[in-house]
Structures are given as C-alpha cells and as structure tokens.
Amino acid sequence: MSKEDPFAFRFDCGAVWLNLLATRGRTFSADPVERLSTPGRLAEWLERCELSPALPPDQDDLDQARKLRETLRALALATVDERPPPADAVAELAAFLAAYDDPVRLVAEDRLRREPPATTARALARVARQAVDHMTGSDRLALKSCPERDCRGVFIDPPGRRRWCPSPACASRGRVRALRARRDATASRPNEDHSPAQ
C-alpha cells in the first residue's frame, strides 16, 4: 500500500474554502505541513480550483493567501464549536472583502462560466465570499471538525455520520487510539470470580 503524500493538496473537504484550510496539514501539531510553500504551489492550487488569475501569484499573494486561510480557520472553528467568532478575525475578513469588490460577470461558452479573476487577491476574495455564505447560512450546520487535536480540519458532513476529516491518517490514528483505550479498559477491570457459590 502506498503511503499518503503529506504535501499533496486535498480537495475532499466539501467546498473550495474548506480545501483552502486543508492547504496546511496537522495545523495544531508541533510540525505542521505547509502545502502552499511557494507562489507556484499557490498558482497550482488556484488552477485546480478553476480560479487561475490573469496575473500569476507572487510572494505577496502567497502571504495574503496564508493569512486569509488562518483567518477563515479561526472563524470556521468558532462556527463549528458554536461560539462567538474572534473579533479580530471578523474585522480582518471584513476589511479584506471590502478591498476586493468582485462583480459577477458570466461567460457563455461550452458551459456556464464566470470571468476569470484578474488577480490572485480577487480569486481569494471569491473563496472568502463562499466561506462567508457558508458560515452565515443554514449550511453551517453541516460543518464539522476533526477530533484529532493536531488536525481540527473542517469539512462538510451533511448526514452527520463522519467522525474524522477525510484524511485517512486521522481516521487511522483515531481508530488505533480507540482500540488501545478499549484494551486498556478491559485489562484494568478486576477479574470477576464466576465460580459457583458454595
């Protein structure tokens, strides 16, 4: 069985903005995995999301993408935990969106398309608006976060049955830990004497 590439982009969280959060793996560990390591990697991610801007991303764009990602992460976790959002994250997101108005211009080609964003910032603004729509409407009720403490990845789980994020590593670690806990609980129980009464 091949080992999962820790630097591979994840596109299985249920929405583009959640896939942006997944560009940093094991976020809360001592050794997080940065998948947006260069402007070229950001360009690749945007292309896979069909958000390639007319101008390729530069280092400033990369810094902005990472900052937006962490702002959205703070708001997403607050949404999942049903607690008030951090005021600084709300202010940062509002300021970012106010700076990048992005009117919808449709293009009629082989399928309905939206005009490509002119810049990386405008592409990120589209991602941010999707996040806002998701977190402020009833769709927020389908959001869930991975219980693995080093991950806490946010994903969509409409049926409410998924326990871990889509990463196989989180599910594997969680199942192993649960199995060990069951074994430890069984081993720590005093032996019951089932001998017949005298």
Side-chain angles (χ1 to χ4, degrees):
M1 189 167 99
S2 60
K3 190 175 180 185
E4 182 182 10
D5 177 3
F7 295 100
F9 289 131
R10 301 198 63 85
F11 295 99
D12 51 7
C13 297
V16 171
W17 76 277
L18 295 171
N19 294 336
L20 175 63
L21 301 189
T23 60
R24 182 174 170 129
R26 300 187 65 194
T27 300
F28 300 99
S29 73
D31 190 23
V33 177
E34 180 57 74
R35 297 179 178 120
L36 288 181
S37 53
T38 64
R41 286 284 283 167
L42 174 57
E44 180 186 342
W45 186 83
L46 289 168
E47 181 181 8
R48 302 251 328 251
C49 295
E50 298 185 11
L51 285 169
S52 290
L55 297 172
D58 60 18
Q59 185 62 43
D60 288 341
D61 293 322
L62 178 61
D63 294 341
Q64 187 173 52
R66 289 174 175 173
K67 182 177 179 183
L68 175 64
R69 176 187 67 194
E70 299 313 314
T71 297
L72 292 178
R73 188 185 317 283
L75 295 170
L77 289 172
T79 301
V80 170
D81 295 341
E82 298 182 344
R83 57 182 165 79
D88 58 339
V90 174
E92 284 176 19
L93 182 57
F96 175 74
L97 289 173
Y100 297 103
D101 185 31
D102 186 36
V104 176
R105 292 188 180 92
L106 299 177
V107 178
E109 294 178 347
D110 55 325
R111 64 174 178 84
L112 184 63
R113 296 177 189 270
R114 194 170 170 187
E115 188 176 79
T119 64
T120 298
R122 291 186 183 280
L124 293 172
R126 291 184 188 182
V127 176
R129 284 189 174 85
Q130 182 192 57
V132 169
D133 287 345
H134 208 143
M135 288 187 282
T136 59
S138 60
D139 288 341
R140 76 187 185 286
L141 302 174
L143 292 175
K144 204 167 182 180
S145 70
C146 183
E148 294 299 302
R149 291 179 190 167
D150 64 345
C151 176
R152 301 243 30 231
V154 182
F155 57 97
I156 296 175
D157 181 30
R161 291 192 293 259
R162 181 183 280 278
R163 182 163 179 196
W164 292 279
C165 74
S167 170
C170 287
S172 178
R173 284 184 292 141
R175 288 188 183 108
V176 167
R177 194 169 42 255
L179 178 62
R180 285 181 184 150
R182 283 195 301 273
R183 285 180 180 163
D184 290 347
T186 302
S188 65
R189 283 190 210 134
N191 290 331
E192 295 177 8
D193 184 8
H194 295 293
S195 57
Q198 297 288 324

